[in-house]
Amino acid sequence: MRDLTVIAAYAAVGAAAAGLLGAFVLRLLRHRSVALSLAVVAAVTVAAMLAGTLSVAWAMFLSEHDLGVVTTVCAIAGVVSLAVTLLLGRQVVAGSRALTLATRAFGDGDPFAAPAGAPTAELAELGRELAATSAKLAASAERERALEASRRELVAWISHDLRTPLAGLRAMTEALEDGIAVDPARYHQQIRAEVDRLSGMVGDLFELSRIQAGVLALSPARMSVYDLVGDAIAGANPLAAEHRVRLVGDGVEPIPVEVDGREMTRVLANLLTNAIHRTPADGTVAVSARRDTSSDSVVLSVTDGCGGIPADDLPRVFDTGWRGTGARTPPAGAGLGLAIVRGIVEAHHGRAAVRNVPGGCRFEVVLPAAPN
């Protein structure tokens, strides 16, 4: 037992000396090729084995013949190990260079294509992660381009919408200043109406900017959908009476939800105003609310009699600045109402959708149901 302990100690000292030397060399070569580092590791392995073997052989006073045999075996093992290591290192370096070239092309704007036949699992995993990142960046760039196009469109429409009322306001104020207004009271009333409309447009822009900046602060509280829809219908009744449109809210279930009452009232008000403006006189706008048990959600819907939305326009209905064509061209506004609807609903972890129905279209707001 004592002899084995001595042999182990001699072997450990010899191997440790070779290992320390190898660690020092690896530190000096830490910025060099992977193949060179692998060769050093193989050389250290063989050197550690040889140092330990020679230390034990010297301690055991082996004959020169036996010592030569051991040294020859270790040397041959070392040569084979170095050859295999260099071959593996070349494969790793080739795979690394291919990945570097693909990444460089990706940095220049080309889509990332992971090299085939990665020599190691780590390089293959890195290639897959870079490919996934490339796909995410491409999708993000596409969304940014769409958003930028929408913003340019919105600026053009806002500029047009502001120019006309501002010109009218200027003409009316000049007429009042010059004393040529036949009916000053009517001018004052019209100026007030134009200012209110401009104030509404500015409010919509401010709300949309908060939504897009992600700073829309919500104060959710538990409430009944029945009360929420009832308040929205009561607020829209005067506009409906003005346009001779009937508001129907018979299909509303008293389902509890956790929402910001103020923001969700704005959602319903925008949808109802949108539906009333686009429904012909003597038409009907129906509001309903039901629970979807399959997804444990609440579905609020507003159905109008607009005649339907062209199929090409359906995907763009909730885009910023969308106004529609044909029967859905709005009489006023900047095309922000439905974009605000989508932003507020998504802030509540819900979704907004639209689809055509016989005689009109149906806007649906899907919200998570409140826990029991």
Side-chain angles (χ1 to χ4, degrees):
M1 187 65 182
R2 182 176 178 278
D3 292 340
L4 289 177
T5 303
V6 173
I7 290 173
Y10 273 103
V13 170
L20 291 174
L21 179 61
F24 177 73
V25 174
L26 282 176
R27 180 172 178 80
L28 294 178
L29 300 176
R30 62 184 181 276
H31 299 304
R32 302 296 295 275
S33 170
V34 174
L36 185 58
S37 298
L38 288 175
V40 171
V41 171
V44 168
T45 303
V46 175
M49 180 181 63
L50 183 60
T53 303
L54 292 178
S55 299
V56 173
W58 175 78
M60 295 178 65
F61 301 103
L62 293 180
S63 64
E64 292 184 2
H65 176 268
D66 293 341
L67 185 59
V69 170
V70 172
T71 304
T72 301
V73 171
C74 291
I76 293 174
V79 171
V80 174
S81 299
L82 286 174
V84 173
T85 301
L86 290 175
L87 179 61
L88 175 61
R90 289 186 62 183
Q91 294 177 353
V92 173
V93 169
S96 178
R97 286 175 179 171
L99 191 59
T100 300
L101 293 176
T103 306
R104 185 177 301 160
F106 172 49
D108 293 337
D110 297 333
F112 180 81
T120 65
E122 290 77 10
L123 289 179
E125 179 65 21
L126 179 58
R128 288 191 293 271
E129 290 296 328
L130 287 173
T133 302
S134 174
K136 292 178 182 177
L137 288 175
S140 177
E142 184 61 31
R143 287 194 300 270
E144 184 65 25
R145 283 192 293 269
L147 182 59
E148 184 61 29
S150 177
R151 285 173 179 169
R152 288 196 299 266
E153 201 173 43
L154 174 62
V155 169
W157 284 338
I158 287 291
S159 301
H160 177 271
D161 283 344
L162 291 178
R163 187 181 297 114
T164 301
L166 287 176
L169 288 172
R170 181 173 182 175
M172 287 185 287
T173 54
E174 288 177 351
L176 290 171
E177 287 177 353
D178 296 339
I180 61 175
V182 179
D183 187 358
R186 184 174 64 84
Y187 275 55
H188 289 146
Q189 184 179 3
Q190 192 169 352
I191 289 174
R192 174 64 181 270
E194 290 295 334
V195 169
D196 288 343
R197 189 164 73 90
L198 292 175
S199 178
M201 291 173 60
V202 173
D204 286 345
L205 282 171
F206 179 69
E207 182 78 1
L208 187 62
S209 67
R210 288 198 305 158
I211 291 172
Q212 293 183 344
V215 296
L216 181 64
L218 299 178
S219 301
R222 189 181 182 92
M223 61 184 63
S224 172
V225 172
Y226 186 86
D227 295 334
L228 197 64
V229 173
D231 293 342
I233 291 178
N237 266 327
L239 181 63
E242 180 184 347
H243 287 76
R244 293 185 300 164
V245 172
R246 292 186 301 274
L247 285 181
V248 179
D250 298 336
V252 180
E253 301 176 9
I255 310 168
V257 291
E258 287 189 2
V259 295
D260 186 309
R262 178 175 173 272
E263 297 295 341
M264 198 52 60
T265 298
R266 180 164 192 164
V267 167
L268 292 175
N270 284 359
L271 291 178
L272 288 173
T273 301
N274 187 67
I276 292 170
H277 278 304
R278 290 153 182 80
T279 299
D282 298 325
T284 301
V285 173
V287 185
S288 67
R290 60 179 177 82
R291 179 186 289 271
D292 186 353
T293 56
S294 62
S295 58
D296 194 23
S297 59
V298 178
V299 181
L300 286 164
S301 65
V302 176
T303 306
D304 60 30
C306 67
I309 303 175
D312 293 339
D313 285 343
L314 278 175
R316 299 192 57 218
V317 166
F318 293 99
D319 289 352
T320 302
W322 182 84
R323 297 183 177 225
T325 57
R328 297 193 59 85
T329 302
L336 305 180
L338 294 179
I340 291 174
V341 166
R342 180 177 63 179
I344 294 175
V345 171
E346 290 180 351
H348 284 84
H349 307 289
R351 60 180 177 86
V354 61
R355 58 189 174 90
N356 286 325
V357 296
C361 62
R362 177 173 297 159
F363 287 84
E364 292 185 346
V365 171
V366 182
L367 297 170
N372 296 326

